[in-house]
Amino acid sequence: MLRPKIPTDPTPAGQLAPPVVVEPTAVVPSVQGPPPAPATPAPTRPTVQLTPGTALALVGGGTAVVLVVGAVLVSMLLAVAITGASVAVCALVIRSLVHADAKRR
């Protein structure tokens, strides 16, 4: 009943076309044009100079980002821990209720 059907016809199904004969073509060299003009170099960008005030602002901004991301991650971890503890307490209460109900019968 669940055996696979194996085709008995060894030729592929579908439309069969005779093979197409490809004839080689001759390669004709073309006339060489003038070489392309060299690209003009891009103007150099001014270098970024860090002043002590800019460096202090970057350090302060990076510190703020790290503190905010850390606080968010710690709060998420705390939420998961509290949820896990409350689920464990609920499981213990339900288990004790089921056990007490089975003991009375």
Side-chain angles (χ1 to χ4, degrees):
M1 180 174 146
L2 296 176
R3 293 187 183 179
K5 304 281 186 193
I6 299 173
T8 56
D9 188 13
T11 59
Q15 199 174 34
L16 296 176
V20 178
V21 178
V22 178
E23 295 181 9
T25 58
V27 177
V28 179
S30 64
V31 178
Q32 293 289 334
T40 58
T44 58
R45 296 188 323 186
T47 58
V48 177
Q49 295 179 351
L50 289 177
T51 62
T54 309
L56 187 62
L58 285 174
V59 169
T63 304
V65 167
V66 167
L67 288 176
V68 168
V69 169
V72 168
L73 291 177
V74 167
S75 64
M76 289 173 61
L77 180 64
L78 185 61
V80 168
I82 290 172
T83 304
S86 64
V87 167
V89 168
C90 289
L92 287 175
V93 169
I94 291 173
R95 187 176 121 191
S96 67
L97 288 174
V98 168
H99 182 67
D101 189 38
K103 203 175 195 182
R104 282 189 216 153
R105 289 183 184 188

